[in-house]
Amino acid sequence: MKTNNFSGPPPEHIAFIMDGNGRWAKKRGLPRTAGHKEGAKVLRRVIRDLDDIGVKYATFYAFSTENWKRSDDEVSALMKLLEDNLDDLVNYEKENIRLRFIGGRERLSEVLQKKMADAEKKSLDHTGMTVTLAINYGGRDDIVRAAKKASELVSEGFLKPDDLDEAAFEKLLQTEDIPPVDLMVRTGGELRISNFLIWQISYAELYFTDTLWCDFSKSDLMKAVDSFSSRNRRFGDAK
Ligand code: FPP
């Protein structure tokens, strides 16, 4: 049963920057990678909580184009976590979730690329929530890739430069088939966007919490959604 007790409708699309795994682990005297493992469990639970409150689209920043700068050990651990647990991380079969991925795949291992493609194919017709994992994703990279596609379409004669408006450009982004972000949540206390979905959050409400991702509970999620529901979204209008 859906448990939506908010003052307004829940956001259709929530994006999450899952920050603070390293600090969570450090506080417990554990390696950073233990924080990512715990973070993966929280991700799975948050997906269930989102479904419960009626959110239709959720996008998670799992690995950014900048995360390659981390130590080899940490990068390998994150990649292994994805390779070994992709099917488990998002319980898409049982929960009727349509799973998709954004980000450049060419730098990922063949094993991971294959698992991603299989999961997308298997879950394509699922009618529940759409969950998008951003892996090797950067907002600027997304825009540059779209600009390249646009220039190819123009040079091949499929697109006239005058027909390239915002709506047409949006369809060339990797998020082509999902609506713009309504609410972006960042855990872990930092107040920045870190190159996540920079086009897609143009009119999103932003919510920052000091809670570390591994401690992010259903009640923290409710607080974020409640805050969203109480805001007056004007989309540039004067009302
Ligand atoms: C940021 O915390 C978190 C990440 C870079 C990875 C997020 C990954 C998960 C939640 C696990 C699920 C996803 C995968 C890839 C399996 P941080 O390490 O920057 O934490 P800190 O700010 O405390 O150092």
Side-chain angles (χ1 to χ4, degrees), residues 24-39:
W24 182 90
K26 194 171 173 200
K27 276 208 295 201
R28 285 161 181 77
L30 298 168
R32 296 176 57 80
T33 48
H36 297 317
K37 254 192 195 161
E38 182 64 21

Side-chain angles (χ1 to χ4, degrees), residues 51-141:
D51 189 38
D52 195 33
I53 59 179
V55 171
K56 296 272 179 271
Y57 297 85
T59 304
F60 297 89
Y61 210 3
F63 193 92
S64 76
T65 45
E66 286 74 34
N67 285 153
W68 297 105
K69 293 183 206 149
R70 296 189 175 205
S71 73
D72 289 351
D73 280 355
E74 187 170 350
V75 170
S76 312
L78 278 165
M79 289 299 153
K80 191 158 164 35
L81 199 55
L82 282 166
E83 275 173 23
D84 293 352
N85 302 294
L86 194 64
D87 290 347
D88 243 16
L89 197 59
V90 177
N91 194 11
Y92 62 88
E93 305 239 52
K94 226 165 150 203
E95 292 172 23
N96 194 24
I97 288 167
R98 188 168 74 104
L99 178 59
R100 56 195 301 300
F101 301 93
I102 52 175
R105 300 190 190 194
E106 59 290 328
R107 209 170 158 183
L108 307 176
S109 74
E110 276 182 26
V111 175
L112 183 53
Q113 288 188 42
K114 167 129 191 8
K115 287 198 172 183
M116 288 159 69
D118 285 350
E120 281 180 333
K121 201 166 151 206
K122 275 199 247 166
S123 68
L124 191 65
D125 298 327
H126 288 182
T127 51
M129 265 177 82
T130 294
V131 171
T132 304
L133 294 187
I135 303 174
N136 188 27
Y137 178 85
R140 290 179 178 179
D141 181 63

Side-chain angles (χ1 to χ4, degrees), residues 167-179:
F169 191 76
E170 210 154 55
K171 289 281 164 221
L172 301 175
L173 293 167
Q174 295 173 68
T175 47
E176 54 172 323
D177 58 344
I178 54 181

